[in-house]
Amino acid sequence: MNVQVAQGRAVKKLEETEATEPEKAPGEEEMPALSLAGLQFFFADISRKTIVWHESGSQSFDSQIRDLREAPSNEALRLLTQEDRKNILRLIQGAIRDGKAGPFDVGGGADHRIPGIPLMAYRYEMQDGRLIVVCFPSMGEDDSNPGNIALGLAPILQHFVASSNRSVLLVDNFGYVRFASEGFVQSFNIPDVKLILGRNIAHIQKRVGRTMVSLILAALTRRASATGRGKFLLASGDTLELAYNAMYFQIAGTFGGVLFSGGMAGGDVDFAKIFTICSSPMMVINTKTRMIVAANKAAMKAYHLTPEIMDEKPITETLLHPKSYGSLLQAAEQESEVPQSTVINSLNGQTKKKRLKAVLLADDKAPKLVLEARS
């Protein structure tokens, strides 16, 4: 059979399959449907208009591990979104036409903020002339970083642990470190996060300690999660006691890894609550905008601040003269330990002299100036 003729017929059959819906007889058992979570591979038999697939049960609600499943094309894809169905159809058609196609992302969601599962497709011609298209998760032949899906989780993790002291580490299923929280860097005495990011966990024992390396490698090789409370041997020889979870995860059978999360064995500390209840008036100012981004209860009361004023006017138009603000910022940049005598114009009309300790906190977007009143 001429290959081009076969390809044309195969595409036409596939389009006809997508457009037609066979009627079910009363009481007929519902056909299985393909799920992207846990998908190992699938292949489309063009002449039979069917899809055969295999998916692991690790990501299914009932955690049942099933063998090969088969259903007519339109039945197999019925639970997927319209966009995912179109992408899979386009993937199969591309493989029929060109021999291979992809990677195409599926399962990314309507807003595409979370990376989808990339699928590749290859055409396979049987001895009798029938065409089979084999599809499976893959980053493509030219991609040297198959941990991109795990890497895509890093911004999400950063958002959730940005103001947390928890030790969070993300390692992909190839053993490479994809994310480390500030709490992890501080707790494990790592001078620069760049010393561990992008490196294999097995090669950085001198940075994170033997206990962490053993735990992560055990979770990866056994494909199992671990939880508990124990002492972690640090690279310096010291020990750190943590209550931890090392969660093994898997996406599409090809991508995954271990997400480690640890907190102090005695419980996590809510530093925001400590800031709020502190008896000394404290404020945090964005050095770029000069806006007060946070003030504790003592500062709100002492300076007669309101949330509306904090949102509308910079501190140089309310509490401090620009020259006074500049002196405080300069003292913070010089890391001076001596509190500065400063005139504060309270919003009740009174002017008071206060001794303010100024500290500068580094930040990627804009450094923050912390002002604490001293008695």
Side-chain angles (χ1 to χ4, degrees), residues 74-234:
N74 57 329
E75 287 288 330
L77 304 178
R78 70 179 186 274
L79 297 183
L80 304 183
T81 65
Q82 184 176 4
E83 183 177 4
D84 286 341
R85 289 199 299 269
K86 286 183 178 179
N87 280 338
I88 288 177
L89 181 63
R90 187 161 63 99
L91 188 72
I92 295 173
Q93 290 175 338
I96 293 172
R97 183 180 60 251
D98 302 325
K100 70 175 182 179
F104 292 164
D105 273 8
V106 295
D111 54 10
H112 299 286
R113 286 184 296 178
I114 299 177
I117 299 171
L119 295 179
M120 289 288 295
Y122 291 85
R123 183 185 70 215
Y124 181 76
E125 188 174 357
M126 307 287 282
Q127 289 184 347
D128 58 1
R130 288 189 302 143
L131 292 179
I132 301 292
V133 174
V134 182
C135 302
F136 53 90
S138 173
M139 299 303 295
E141 295 176 357
D142 300 326
D143 199 304
S144 59
N145 182 10
N148 277 345
I149 285 187
L151 183 61
L153 296 174
I156 303 171
L157 290 172
Q158 180 65 51
H159 171 75
F160 284 111
V161 301
S163 59
S164 169
N165 64 324
R166 289 192 68 81
S167 299
V168 179
L169 185 73
L170 177 67
V171 179
D172 69 18
N173 60 337
F174 294 90
Y176 290 92
V177 176
R178 296 297 176 182
F179 171 80
S181 71
E182 185 64 27
F184 183 90
V185 172
Q186 292 178 358
S187 297
F188 284 79
N189 301 326
I190 298 167
D192 189 350
V193 70
K194 294 177 183 177
L195 296 174
I196 63 173
L197 282 182
R199 300 193 62 192
N200 196 289
I201 189 73
H203 301 159
I204 57 172
Q205 182 169 305
K206 292 183 179 180
R207 300 290 182 188
V208 299
R210 187 175 68 231
T211 312
M212 176 60 66
V213 172
S214 299
L215 177 67
I216 297 296
L217 291 179
L220 283 173
T221 53
R222 297 172 187 169
R223 298 193 173 189
S225 300
T227 183
R229 173 176 172 171
K231 291 184 178 181
F232 286 76
L233 182 64
L234 304 183

Side-chain angles (χ1 to χ4, degrees), residues 315-329:
I315 193 170
T316 50
E317 294 182 13
T318 53
L319 302 181
L320 296 176
H321 189 276
K323 187 177 291 187
S324 300
Y325 173 82
S327 299
L328 289 167
L329 182 59

Side-chain angles (χ1 to χ4, degrees), residues 334-361:
Q334 294 173 353
E335 299 183 356
S336 173
E337 295 292 331
V338 180
Q340 307 296 307
S341 182
T342 309
V343 175
I344 294 185
N345 304 308
S346 297
L347 298 179
N348 64 344
Q350 295 181 354
T351 300
K352 299 179 181 179
K353 262 198 172 183
K354 292 278 187 181
R355 295 171 69 247
L356 298 182
K357 172 71 182 298
V359 177
L360 201 61
L361 297 179

Side-chain angles (χ1 to χ4, degrees), residues 245-373:
N245 290 287
M247 185 188 76
Y248 175 79
F249 68 94
Q250 186 174 340
I251 303 173
T254 306
F255 309 103
V258 172
L259 177 63
F260 172 87
S261 176
M264 293 303 169
D268 293 332
V269 179
D270 188 346
F271 291 106
K273 186 175 291 185
I274 295 174
F275 171 79
T276 301
I277 66 176
C278 183
S279 60
S280 298
M282 298 179 67
M283 296 180 293
V284 182
I285 295 96
N286 184 314
T287 56
K288 280 190 175 180
T289 63
R290 298 188 176 186
M291 300 294 289
I292 303 173
V293 295
N296 64 359
K297 287 183 178 180
M300 300 287 279
K301 183 179 180 180
Y303 308 137
H304 298 271
L305 281 170
T306 63
E308 291 75 21
I309 292 174
M310 290 169 55
D311 290 340
E312 293 172 1
K313 295 182 178 181
I315 193 170
T316 50
E317 294 182 13
T318 53
L319 302 181
L320 296 176
H321 189 276
K323 187 177 291 187
S324 300
Y325 173 82
S327 299
L328 289 167
L329 182 59
Q330 185 179 14
E333 290 173 341
Q334 294 173 353
E335 299 183 356
S336 173
E337 295 292 331
V338 180
Q340 307 296 307
S341 182
T342 309
V343 175
I344 294 185
N345 304 308
S346 297
L347 298 179
N348 64 344
Q350 295 181 354
T351 300
K352 299 179 181 179
K353 262 198 172 183
K354 292 278 187 181
R355 295 171 69 247
L356 298 182
K357 172 71 182 298
V359 177
L360 201 61
L361 297 179
D363 191 286
D364 291 340
K365 296 180 180 178
K368 305 298 188 297
L369 180 64
V370 180
L371 298 179
E372 178 191 359

